[in-house]
Every structure is written in C-alpha cells, then in structure tokens.
Coordinates of all heavy atoms in Angstrom, one line a residue:
M418 N -48.2 -58.7 -0.4 CA -49.1 -59.2 0.6 C -48.3 -60.1 1.5 O -47.3 -60.8 1.1 CB -50.2 -60.0 0.0 CG -51.1 -59.3 -0.9 SD -52.4 -58.5 0.1 CE -53.1 -57.4 -1.0
S419 N -48.7 -60.2 2.8 CA -48.0 -61.1 3.8 C -48.7 -62.4 3.7 O -49.5 -62.7 2.8 CB -48.2 -60.5 5.2 OG -49.6 -60.6 5.5
D420 N -48.3 -63.3 4.6 CA -48.8 -64.6 4.7 C -50.2 -64.7 5.4 O -50.7 -65.7 5.6 CB -47.9 -65.6 5.4 CG -46.6 -65.8 4.6 OD1 -46.7 -65.6 3.3 OD2 -45.6 -66.2 5.2
K421 N -50.7 -63.5 5.8 CA -51.9 -63.4 6.5 C -53.0 -64.0 5.7 O -53.1 -63.9 4.5 CB -52.2 -61.9 6.8 CG -53.5 -61.7 7.5 CD -53.8 -60.3 7.8 CE -55.1 -60.0 8.4 NZ -55.4 -58.6 8.5
K422 N -53.9 -64.7 6.3 CA -55.1 -65.3 5.6 C -56.2 -64.3 5.5 O -56.6 -63.7 6.5 CB -55.6 -66.5 6.5 CG -56.8 -67.2 5.9 CD -56.5 -68.0 4.7 CE -57.7 -68.8 4.2 NZ -57.7 -69.0 2.8
F423 N -56.6 -64.1 4.2 CA -57.6 -63.1 4.0 C -58.9 -63.8 3.7 O -59.0 -64.8 3.0 CB -57.2 -62.2 2.7 CG -56.1 -61.3 3.0 CD1 -54.8 -61.7 2.6 CD2 -56.3 -60.1 3.6 CE1 -53.7 -60.9 2.8 CE2 -55.2 -59.3 3.8 CZ -53.9 -59.7 3.5
T424 N -60.0 -63.2 4.3 CA -61.3 -63.7 4.0 C -62.2 -62.5 3.8 O -61.9 -61.4 4.2 CB -61.9 -64.5 5.3 OG1 -61.8 -63.6 6.4 CG2 -61.1 -65.7 5.5
P425 N -63.3 -62.7 3.1 CA -64.2 -61.5 2.8 C -64.9 -61.0 4.1 O -65.0 -61.7 5.1 CB -65.2 -62.1 1.8 CG -65.2 -63.6 2.1 CD -63.8 -63.9 2.5
V426 N -65.3 -59.8 4.0 CA -66.0 -59.1 5.1 C -67.4 -58.9 4.6 O -67.7 -58.4 3.5 CB -65.4 -57.7 5.4 CG1 -66.2 -57.0 6.5 CG2 -64.0 -57.9 5.9
K427 N -68.4 -59.4 5.4 CA -69.8 -59.2 5.1 C -70.3 -57.9 5.6 O -70.1 -57.6 6.8 CB -70.6 -60.3 5.7 CG -72.1 -60.3 5.2 CD -72.9 -61.5 5.7 CE -74.3 -61.3 5.3 NZ -75.1 -62.5 5.8
L428 N -70.8 -57.0 4.7 CA -71.2 -55.7 5.1 C -72.7 -55.5 4.5 O -73.0 -56.0 3.5 CB -70.3 -54.6 4.4 CG -68.9 -54.6 5.0 CD1 -68.1 -53.6 4.2 CD2 -68.8 -54.3 6.4
A429 N -73.4 -54.6 5.2 CA -74.7 -54.2 4.8 C -74.5 -52.8 4.0 O -74.2 -51.8 4.6 CB -75.6 -54.0 5.9
L430 N -74.6 -52.9 2.7 CA -74.4 -51.7 1.8 C -75.7 -50.9 1.7 O -76.7 -51.5 1.5 CB -73.8 -52.1 0.5 CG -72.5 -52.9 0.5 CD1 -72.1 -53.3 -0.9 CD2 -71.4 -52.1 1.2
E431 N -75.5 -49.6 1.7 CA -76.7 -48.8 1.6 C -76.9 -48.2 0.2 O -75.9 -47.8 -0.4 CB -76.6 -47.6 2.6 CG -76.5 -48.1 4.0 CD -76.3 -46.9 4.9 OE1 -76.7 -45.8 4.7 OE2 -75.6 -47.1 6.0
K432 N -78.1 -48.2 -0.3 CA -78.4 -47.7 -1.7 C -77.9 -46.3 -1.8 O -78.0 -45.4 -0.9 CB -79.9 -47.7 -1.9 CG -80.3 -47.1 -3.2 CD -81.9 -47.1 -3.3 CE -82.2 -46.4 -4.6 NZ -83.6 -46.0 -4.7
D433 N -77.2 -46.0 -3.0 CA -76.7 -44.7 -3.4 C -75.6 -44.1 -2.5 O -75.1 -43.0 -2.8 CB -77.9 -43.7 -3.5 CG -78.9 -44.1 -4.6 OD1 -78.5 -44.8 -5.5 OD2 -80.0 -43.7 -4.5
K434 N -75.2 -44.8 -1.5 CA -74.0 -44.3 -0.7 C -72.7 -44.6 -1.5 O -72.6 -45.7 -2.1 CB -74.0 -45.0 0.6 CG -72.9 -44.5 1.6 CD -73.0 -45.2 2.9 CE -71.9 -44.7 3.9 NZ -72.0 -45.3 5.2
R435 N -71.8 -43.7 -1.5 CA -70.5 -43.9 -2.2 C -69.5 -44.6 -1.2 O -69.3 -44.1 -0.1 CB -70.0 -42.6 -2.7 CG -70.8 -42.0 -3.8 CD -70.3 -40.6 -4.1 NE -68.9 -40.4 -4.4 CZ -68.3 -40.5 -5.5 NH1 -69.0 -40.7 -6.6 NH2 -67.0 -40.3 -5.7
Y436 N -68.9 -45.7 -1.7 CA -67.9 -46.4 -1.0 C -66.6 -46.4 -1.8 O -66.6 -46.4 -3.0 CB -68.3 -47.9 -0.8 CG -69.6 -48.0 0.0 CD1 -70.8 -48.2 -0.7 CD2 -69.6 -48.1 1.4 CE1 -72.0 -48.3 0.1 CE2 -70.7 -48.3 2.1 CZ -71.9 -48.4 1.5 OH -73.1 -48.6 2.2
A437 N -65.5 -46.3 -1.1 CA -64.2 -46.3 -1.7 C -63.4 -47.5 -1.2 O -62.9 -47.6 -0.1 CB -63.4 -45.0 -1.3
W438 N -63.5 -48.6 -2.0 CA -62.8 -49.9 -1.7 C -61.3 -49.7 -1.9 O -60.8 -49.3 -2.9 CB -63.4 -50.9 -2.6 CG -62.8 -52.3 -2.4 CD1 -63.0 -53.1 -1.3 CD2 -62.0 -53.1 -3.3 NE1 -62.3 -54.3 -1.5 CE2 -61.7 -54.3 -2.7 CE3 -61.5 -52.8 -4.6 CZ2 -61.0 -55.3 -3.4 CZ3 -60.7 -53.8 -5.2 CH2 -60.5 -55.0 -4.6
C439 N -60.6 -50.2 -0.8 CA -59.1 -50.1 -0.9 C -58.6 -51.1 -1.9 O -59.0 -52.3 -1.9 CB -58.6 -50.5 0.5 SG -56.8 -50.8 0.5
T440 N -57.8 -50.7 -2.8 CA -57.2 -51.6 -3.9 C -55.8 -51.9 -3.6 O -55.2 -52.8 -4.2 CB -57.3 -50.9 -5.3 OG1 -56.4 -49.7 -5.3 CG2 -58.7 -50.6 -5.7
C441 N -55.1 -51.2 -2.6 CA -53.7 -51.4 -2.4 C -53.4 -52.4 -1.3 O -52.3 -52.9 -1.2 CB -53.0 -50.1 -2.2 SG -53.3 -49.4 -0.6
G442 N -54.3 -52.6 -0.3 CA -54.1 -53.5 0.8 C -53.4 -52.8 2.0 O -53.1 -53.5 3.0
H443 N -53.1 -51.6 1.9 CA -52.4 -50.9 3.0 C -53.3 -50.1 4.0 O -52.8 -49.7 5.0 CB -51.3 -49.9 2.4 CG -50.2 -50.6 1.8 ND1 -49.2 -51.3 2.5 CD2 -49.8 -50.7 0.5 CE1 -48.3 -51.8 1.6 NE2 -48.7 -51.5 0.4
S444 N -54.6 -50.0 3.6 CA -55.5 -49.4 4.5 C -55.6 -50.1 5.9 O -55.5 -51.3 5.9 CB -56.9 -49.3 3.9 OG -57.9 -48.9 4.8
E445 N -55.7 -49.3 6.9 CA -55.8 -49.9 8.3 C -57.0 -50.8 8.4 O -57.0 -51.8 9.1 CB -55.9 -48.8 9.3 CG -54.6 -48.1 9.6 CD -53.5 -49.0 10.2 OE1 -53.9 -49.8 11.1 OE2 -52.4 -48.9 9.8
T446 N -58.1 -50.4 7.6 CA -59.3 -51.3 7.7 C -59.3 -52.4 6.6 O -60.0 -53.3 6.7 CB -60.6 -50.4 7.4 OG1 -60.6 -50.0 6.1 CG2 -60.6 -49.2 8.3
N447 N -58.4 -52.2 5.6 CA -58.3 -53.1 4.5 C -59.5 -53.1 3.6 O -59.4 -53.3 2.4 CB -58.0 -54.6 4.9 CG -57.5 -55.4 3.7 OD1 -57.6 -54.9 2.6 ND2 -57.1 -56.6 3.9
V448 N -60.6 -52.8 4.1 CA -61.8 -52.8 3.2 C -62.0 -51.5 2.5 O -62.1 -51.5 1.3 CB -63.1 -53.1 4.1 CG1 -64.3 -53.1 3.2 CG2 -63.0 -54.5 4.7
F449 N -61.9 -50.4 3.2 CA -62.2 -49.1 2.6 C -60.9 -48.2 2.7 O -60.1 -48.4 3.6 CB -63.3 -48.4 3.3 CG -64.6 -49.1 3.1 CD1 -65.3 -49.6 4.2 CD2 -65.1 -49.3 1.8 CE1 -66.5 -50.3 4.0 CE2 -66.3 -50.0 1.6 CZ -67.0 -50.5 2.7
C450 N -60.8 -47.4 1.7 CA -59.6 -46.5 1.6 C -59.4 -45.6 2.7 O -60.4 -44.9 3.2 CB -59.7 -45.7 0.3 SG -58.3 -44.6 0.0
D451 N -58.2 -45.5 3.3 CA -57.9 -44.5 4.3 C -56.8 -43.5 3.9 O -56.2 -42.8 4.7 CB -57.6 -45.1 5.7 CG -56.3 -45.9 5.6 OD1 -55.6 -46.0 4.5 OD2 -55.9 -46.5 6.7
G452 N -56.5 -43.6 2.6 CA -55.4 -42.7 2.0 C -54.0 -43.3 2.1 O -53.1 -42.7 1.6
S453 N -53.9 -44.5 2.6 CA -52.5 -45.1 2.8 C -51.8 -45.3 1.5 O -50.6 -45.4 1.5 CB -52.7 -46.4 3.6 OG -53.1 -46.2 4.9
H454 N -52.6 -45.5 0.4 CA -51.9 -45.8 -0.9 C -51.0 -44.7 -1.3 O -50.0 -44.9 -2.0 CB -53.0 -46.0 -2.0 CG -53.9 -44.8 -2.2 ND1 -55.0 -44.6 -1.5 CD2 -53.8 -43.8 -3.0 CE1 -55.6 -43.5 -1.9 NE2 -54.9 -43.0 -2.8
K455 N -51.2 -43.5 -0.8 CA -50.3 -42.3 -1.2 C -48.9 -42.5 -0.6 O -48.0 -42.1 -1.2 CB -50.9 -41.0 -0.6 CG -52.3 -40.7 -1.3 CD -52.9 -39.5 -0.6 CE -54.3 -39.3 -1.1 NZ -55.1 -38.4 -0.3
Q456 N -48.8 -43.1 0.6 CA -47.5 -43.3 1.2 C -46.8 -44.4 0.6 O -45.6 -44.5 0.7 CB -47.7 -43.7 2.7 CG -48.4 -42.6 3.5 CD -48.8 -43.1 4.9 OE1 -48.8 -44.2 5.2 NE2 -49.2 -42.1 5.8
H457 N -47.5 -45.3 -0.1 CA -46.9 -46.5 -0.7 C -46.8 -46.4 -2.2 O -46.5 -47.4 -2.9 CB -47.7 -47.8 -0.3 CG -47.6 -48.0 1.2 ND1 -46.6 -48.6 1.8 CD2 -48.5 -47.7 2.2 CE1 -46.8 -48.7 3.1 NE2 -48.0 -48.1 3.4
E458 N -47.2 -45.2 -2.8 CA -47.2 -45.0 -4.2 C -48.0 -46.1 -5.0 O -47.5 -46.6 -6.0 CB -45.8 -44.8 -4.7 CG -45.0 -43.7 -4.1 CD -43.6 -43.5 -4.6 OE1 -43.2 -44.2 -5.5 OE2 -42.9 -42.6 -4.0
K459 N -49.1 -46.4 -4.4 CA -50.0 -47.4 -5.1 C -51.2 -46.7 -5.7 O -51.5 -45.6 -5.4 CB -50.5 -48.4 -4.0 CG -49.3 -49.2 -3.4 CD -48.9 -50.3 -4.3 CE -47.9 -51.2 -3.6 NZ -47.5 -52.3 -4.3
A460 N -52.0 -47.5 -6.5 CA -53.2 -46.9 -7.1 C -54.2 -46.6 -6.0 O -54.2 -47.2 -4.9 CB -53.8 -48.0 -8.0
G461 N -55.1 -45.7 -6.3 CA -56.1 -45.3 -5.4 C -57.3 -46.2 -5.3 O -57.2 -47.4 -5.7
S462 N -58.3 -45.8 -4.7 CA -59.5 -46.6 -4.4 C -60.4 -46.9 -5.6 O -60.3 -46.2 -6.6 CB -60.3 -46.0 -3.3 OG -60.7 -44.7 -3.7
L463 N -61.2 -47.8 -5.4 CA -62.3 -48.1 -6.4 C -63.6 -47.6 -5.8 O -64.0 -48.1 -4.8 CB -62.4 -49.6 -6.7 CG -63.6 -50.0 -7.5 CD1 -63.5 -49.5 -9.0 CD2 -63.9 -51.5 -7.5
V464 N -64.1 -46.5 -6.3 CA -65.4 -45.9 -5.8 C -66.5 -46.6 -6.4 O -66.6 -46.8 -7.6 CB -65.4 -44.4 -6.1 CG1 -66.7 -43.8 -5.6 CG2 -64.2 -43.7 -5.4
F465 N -67.5 -47.0 -5.6 CA -68.7 -47.7 -6.1 C -69.9 -47.4 -5.3 O -69.8 -46.9 -4.2 CB -68.4 -49.3 -6.1 CG -68.4 -49.9 -4.8 CD1 -69.6 -50.6 -4.3 CD2 -67.3 -49.9 -4.0 CE1 -69.5 -51.2 -3.0 CE2 -67.3 -50.4 -2.7 CZ -68.4 -51.1 -2.3
Q466 N -71.1 -47.7 -5.9 CA -72.4 -47.5 -5.3 C -73.2 -48.8 -5.6 O -72.9 -49.5 -6.5 CB -73.1 -46.3 -5.8 CG -72.4 -45.0 -5.4 CD -73.1 -43.8 -6.1 OE1 -72.9 -43.5 -7.3 NE2 -74.0 -43.2 -5.3
V467 N -74.3 -49.0 -4.8 CA -75.2 -50.0 -5.1 C -76.6 -49.4 -5.4 O -76.9 -48.4 -4.8 CB -75.2 -51.1 -4.0 CG1 -73.9 -51.8 -3.9 CG2 -75.6 -50.5 -2.6
D468 N -77.4 -50.2 -6.2 CA -78.7 -49.7 -6.6 C -79.8 -49.9 -5.5 O -80.9 -49.4 -5.6 CB -79.1 -50.3 -7.9 CG -78.2 -49.9 -9.0 OD1 -77.6 -48.8 -8.9 OD2 -78.2 -50.6 -10.0
E469 N -79.5 -50.8 -4.6 CA -80.4 -51.1 -3.5 C -79.7 -51.5 -2.3 O -78.5 -51.9 -2.4 CB -81.4 -52.2 -4.0 CG -80.6 -53.5 -4.3 CD -81.5 -54.6 -4.9 OE1 -82.6 -54.3 -5.4 OE2 -81.1 -55.8 -4.8
D470 N -80.3 -51.4 -1.1 CA -79.7 -51.9 0.1 C -79.5 -53.3 0.0 O -80.4 -54.1 -0.5 CB -80.6 -51.6 1.3 CG -80.7 -50.1 1.7 OD1 -80.0 -49.3 1.1 OD2 -81.6 -49.8 2.5
K471 N -78.3 -53.8 0.3 CA -78.0 -55.2 0.2 C -76.8 -55.6 1.1 O -75.9 -54.8 1.3 CB -77.8 -55.7 -1.2 CG -76.5 -55.1 -1.9 CD -76.4 -55.7 -3.2 CE -75.0 -55.3 -3.9 NZ -74.9 -55.9 -5.2
D472 N -76.8 -56.9 1.4 CA -75.6 -57.5 2.1 C -74.6 -57.9 1.0 O -75.1 -58.4 0.0 CB -76.0 -58.6 3.0 CG -76.8 -58.2 4.2 OD1 -76.7 -57.1 4.6 OD2 -77.6 -59.1 4.7
A473 N -73.4 -57.7 1.3 CA -72.4 -58.1 0.3 C -71.1 -58.6 1.0 O -70.8 -58.2 2.1 CB -72.0 -56.9 -0.6
R474 N -70.4 -59.5 0.3 CA -69.1 -60.0 0.8 C -68.1 -59.3 0.1 O -67.9 -59.4 -1.1 CB -69.0 -61.5 0.6 CG -70.0 -62.3 1.4 CD -70.1 -63.8 1.2 NE -69.2 -64.3 0.1 CZ -68.2 -65.2 0.3 NH1 -68.0 -65.7 1.5 NH2 -67.5 -65.6 -0.7
I475 N -67.3 -58.4 0.8 CA -66.3 -57.5 0.2 C -65.0 -58.2 0.3 O -64.6 -58.6 1.4 CB -66.3 -56.1 0.9 CG1 -67.7 -55.5 0.9 CG2 -65.3 -55.2 0.3 CD1 -68.3 -55.2 -0.5
C476 N -64.2 -58.1 -0.8 CA -62.9 -58.8 -0.9 C -61.9 -58.0 0.0 O -61.9 -56.8 0.0 CB -62.5 -58.8 -2.3 SG -60.8 -59.3 -2.6
T477 N -61.1 -58.7 0.7 CA -59.9 -58.1 1.4 C -58.6 -58.6 0.9 O -57.6 -58.1 1.3 CB -60.0 -58.5 2.9 OG1 -59.9 -59.9 3.1 CG2 -61.3 -57.9 3.6
C478 N -58.6 -59.7 0.0 CA -57.3 -60.2 -0.4 C -56.8 -59.5 -1.7 O -55.6 -59.6 -2.0 CB -57.4 -61.7 -0.8 SG -58.3 -62.1 -2.3
K479 N -57.7 -58.7 -2.3 CA -57.4 -57.9 -3.5 C -57.1 -58.8 -4.8 O -56.6 -58.3 -5.8 CB -56.2 -57.0 -3.3 CG -56.2 -56.2 -2.0 CD -57.5 -55.4 -1.8 CE -57.5 -54.7 -0.5 NZ -58.8 -54.2 -0.1
L480 N -57.5 -60.1 -4.7 CA -57.3 -61.0 -5.8 C -58.5 -61.2 -6.6 O -58.5 -61.9 -7.7 CB -56.7 -62.3 -5.3 CG -55.4 -62.3 -4.6 CD1 -55.0 -63.7 -4.1 CD2 -54.3 -61.8 -5.6
T481 N -59.6 -60.7 -6.2 CA -60.9 -60.9 -6.9 C -60.9 -60.4 -8.3 O -60.3 -59.4 -8.6 CB -62.1 -60.2 -6.1 OG1 -63.3 -60.5 -6.8 CG2 -61.9 -58.7 -6.0
S482 N -61.6 -61.1 -9.2 CA -61.8 -60.6 -10.5 C -63.1 -59.8 -10.7 O -63.4 -59.3 -11.8 CB -61.9 -61.8 -11.5 OG -60.7 -62.6 -11.5
N483 N -63.8 -59.6 -9.6 CA -65.0 -58.9 -9.6 C -65.0 -57.8 -8.4 O -65.9 -57.9 -7.5 CB -66.2 -59.8 -9.4 CG -67.6 -59.1 -9.5 OD1 -67.7 -58.1 -10.2 ND2 -68.6 -59.6 -8.8
P484 N -64.1 -56.9 -8.4 CA -64.0 -56.0 -7.3 C -65.2 -55.1 -7.2 O -65.8 -54.7 -8.2 CB -62.7 -55.2 -7.7 CG -62.5 -55.3 -9.1 CD -63.1 -56.6 -9.5
P485 N -65.6 -54.7 -6.0 CA -65.0 -55.0 -4.7 C -65.5 -56.3 -4.1 O -65.2 -56.5 -2.9 CB -65.5 -53.8 -3.9 CG -66.9 -53.6 -4.4 CD -66.8 -53.8 -5.9
Y486 N -66.2 -57.1 -4.8 CA -66.9 -58.3 -4.2 C -66.0 -59.5 -4.3 O -65.2 -59.8 -5.2 CB -68.2 -58.6 -5.0 CG -69.1 -57.4 -5.0 CD1 -69.2 -56.6 -6.2 CD2 -69.7 -57.0 -3.9 CE1 -70.0 -55.5 -6.2 CE2 -70.6 -55.9 -3.9 CZ -70.7 -55.1 -5.1 OH -71.5 -54.0 -5.1
C487 N -66.0 -60.3 -3.2 CA -65.3 -61.6 -3.1 C -65.8 -62.5 -4.2 O -67.0 -62.7 -4.4 CB -65.5 -62.2 -1.8 SG -64.8 -63.9 -1.6
D488 N -64.9 -63.1 -4.9 CA -65.3 -64.2 -5.9 C -64.7 -65.5 -5.6 O -64.7 -66.4 -6.4 CB -64.9 -63.7 -7.3 CG -63.4 -63.7 -7.6 OD1 -62.6 -63.9 -6.6 OD2 -63.0 -63.5 -8.7
G489 N -64.1 -65.6 -4.4 CA -63.6 -66.9 -3.9 C -62.1 -67.1 -4.2 O -61.5 -68.1 -3.9
S490 N -61.5 -66.1 -4.9 CA -60.1 -66.2 -5.2 C -59.1 -66.2 -4.1 O -58.0 -66.7 -4.2 CB -59.7 -64.9 -6.1 OG -60.4 -64.9 -7.3
H491 N -59.6 -65.9 -2.9 CA -58.8 -65.9 -1.7 C -58.4 -67.3 -1.2 O -57.5 -67.5 -0.4 CB -59.4 -65.1 -0.5 CG -60.7 -65.7 -0.1 ND1 -61.9 -65.4 -0.7 CD2 -61.0 -66.7 0.8 CE1 -62.9 -66.1 -0.1 NE2 -62.4 -66.9 0.8
K492 N -59.2 -68.3 -1.7 CA -59.0 -69.7 -1.2 C -57.7 -70.3 -1.8 O -57.3 -70.0 -2.9 CB -60.2 -70.5 -1.6 CG -61.5 -70.1 -0.9 CD -62.7 -70.8 -1.3 CE -63.9 -70.3 -0.7 NZ -65.1 -70.8 -1.2
Ligands
FES59 S1 -61.5 -62.1 0.0 FE1 -62.4 -63.5 -1.4 S2 -61.6 -63.0 -3.3 FE2 -60.6 -61.6 -2.0

C-alpha cells in the first residue's frame, strides 16, 4: 500500500445483488474488483450479498477484520 489515506466509501447496497469486493487494492475503483489482481498475482475478490437494501461503509484500506465493511482499522 502507498502512503495514500484510505477512508471507507458509503454505498447503497441492493438486496440479493452480488458484489465483488476488491481484496488486493489494485482495482481502479478500489472498492469493487476489476480483474487487476490477475496482473499482480494477488488473491481474487470477496463476493458477497446483503439480505436487505441498506447503506454500508465499504472498506478501501483492506485492513478491516470484517470485510467488506469498514471496522475503523484505517485510522
Ligand atoms: S477503510 Fe475503514 S477499515 Fe478499511
């Protein structure tokens, strides 16, 4: 990781929609997988769904203990 300051991204997640959270930090969006991990020989994405529509704070620092959600570890 660089010295860039990471903060969570607040998103409105939709019930039953499949999301692929970037675990490697190389995605152009940083939040969702764009396949960049293949070029860097890193692990793939974490696919997840939610049971109801909800707002969530999604981790961008990759240090969270509760992926894909921010747990404050970026501070
Ligand atoms: S952005 Fe908050 S724990 Fe990663």
Side-chain angles (χ1 to χ4, degrees):
M418 294 275 167
S419 69
D420 292 338
K421 181 180 175 187
K422 178 74 176 148
F423 291 97
T424 56
V426 175
K427 186 175 180 183
L428 294 175
L430 301 177
E431 299 173 32
K432 177 185 177 195
D433 295 334
K434 184 174 178 178
R435 288 171 53 92
Y436 298 94
W438 179 66
C439 169
T440 64
C441 75
H443 291 288
S444 168
E445 287 294 319
T446 69
N447 193 352
V448 178
F449 295 118
C450 179
D451 67 359
S453 294
H454 60 274
K455 296 173 189 167
Q456 298 167 348
H457 298 278
E458 299 180 6
K459 298 283 186 173
S462 61
L463 171 71
V464 177
F465 71 100
Q466 293 175 278
V467 294
D468 295 336
E469 59 187 20
D470 291 352
K471 67 177 185 178
D472 292 335
R474 292 175 357 118
I475 304 298
C476 172
T477 61
C478 75
K479 316 306 178 189
L480 298 175
T481 182
S482 296
N483 185 31
Y486 304 105
C487 173
D488 69 355
S490 295
H491 62 273
K492 294 178 185 169

